[in-house]
Every structure is written in C-alpha cells, then in structure tokens.
Amino acid sequence: MITRRRMLAVAGGFVALAAAGAAAGQMPAGTAEGRNETMEIKRNGSQPSRAGQSEYFTGVVRIDPLVQAPHPARVSGGSVTFEPGARTAWHTHPLGQTLIVTSGLGWVQREGGPIEEVRPGDVVWFPPGLKHWHGATPTTAMMHTAIQESLDGKNVDWMEKVSDEQYRRA
C-alpha cells in the first residue's frame, strides 16, 4: 500500500535530484537546451491599438494585438473591432484561421457561399487557403478574436476588397 508519507518521500527525492542537477549546471530532464523558460505577461493596455489599414479593410476597424508567440511557435492573435458596415477584404490564410465572436453582430462569407450571420460565442473556422471575408453588419458593430498561424513568416494573403454589391445580404 502506498501511504501519504511514502509519496512525500518519493517527491522529496525527485526535488533533491533536480536541485543537484541544477547545482551541477545540468538542464533538468525534458528541458530543451537553450529554451526560454521565462513566463511572459502582457498587461492589459500595454500593447497599442492600431487602425485597420485601408488597403485591407473597408470602414472603421480597430485591431488590438493579443499574442505574437516567439519562434518556434507561430501563432498570432488579436481582437478586431468592426464599426457598422466595416469589413475585411477577401483573403486567405496559409494555415487557416479561427474567429471567436465576442460582441455585436457580424457577417462571414466564404467564396461561393452565402453570407452567414455570427453572434457572440460563435466560433468560425476557415480552412487553409479558403477565400473569405468577415465584418460587421450594416447596422451593428462586431468584435471578434482572430487566431492564425504563420507559414514561412506569413499568416494572411490579402486580395481584392469586398464590393458594396457583394456586401449586401440577399
């Protein structure tokens, strides 16, 4: 039978081994050589907002960065706020994109498909290479968290703007 005392003794032994390894200048087992083991906290408000570039967006769009993971990770994400009528241009992502709608009412569309309504709590996945756009409805703002990965340093391929005719929902 394994007692609490025995478990504490075994755990203490592991702690002693790890301390001895660290004292000898050795990396603990399972830790990659040269890997940064420092936790990083980005405080709310510490990363400046920026306006969505007019060549990639129609209307008023604000982008608040959330994460840009250091190499070898390749994920990035941001909170994007679209004022009523604002939207992205058509675009694709080399490794896909996930949107998590956090407020308001929005529209998403894949090439050749209908405009779909999205609401807070909805999660949208665009597969790699799928041409699409997303944004607010004509009368209601929308905010979402966008998460994507980079491939060869690139996480998006921008295309033509969504025309007013394409933006109108039938």
Side-chain angles (χ1 to χ4, degrees), residues 20-79:
Q26 299 172 350
M27 301 280 291
T31 302
E33 184 86 24
R35 187 168 140 194
N36 183 356
E37 295 294 328
T38 303
M39 180 174 73
E40 183 178 333
I41 299 173
K42 299 239 187 216
R43 299 290 178 197
N44 187 20
S46 68
Q47 301 181 91
S49 300
R50 63 181 172 85
Q53 295 176 305
S54 62
E55 62 201 285
Y56 306 131
F57 297 92
T58 297
V60 177
V61 177
R62 186 184 77 236
I63 302 169
D64 292 292
L66 295 174
V67 62
Q68 182 64 54
H71 182 76
R74 53 190 183 183
V75 70
S76 64
S79 177

Side-chain angles (χ1 to χ4, degrees), residues 16 18 31-32 34 45 50 55-57 59 66 74 87 91 94 99 113 117 125 130 134 139 158-159 165:
T31 302
R50 63 181 172 85
E55 62 201 285
Y56 306 131
F57 297 92
L66 295 174
R74 53 190 183 183
R87 57 202 180 261
H91 61 286
L99 302 180
E117 187 175 276
W125 164 247
L130 181 68
H134 35 97
T139 59
W158 291 105
M159 299 168 184
E165 293 75 31

Side-chain angles (χ1 to χ4, degrees), residues 118-132:
V118 290
R119 298 176 173 274
D122 290 348
V123 178
V124 182
W125 164 247
F126 297 107
L130 181 68
K131 187 175 178 180
H132 68 279

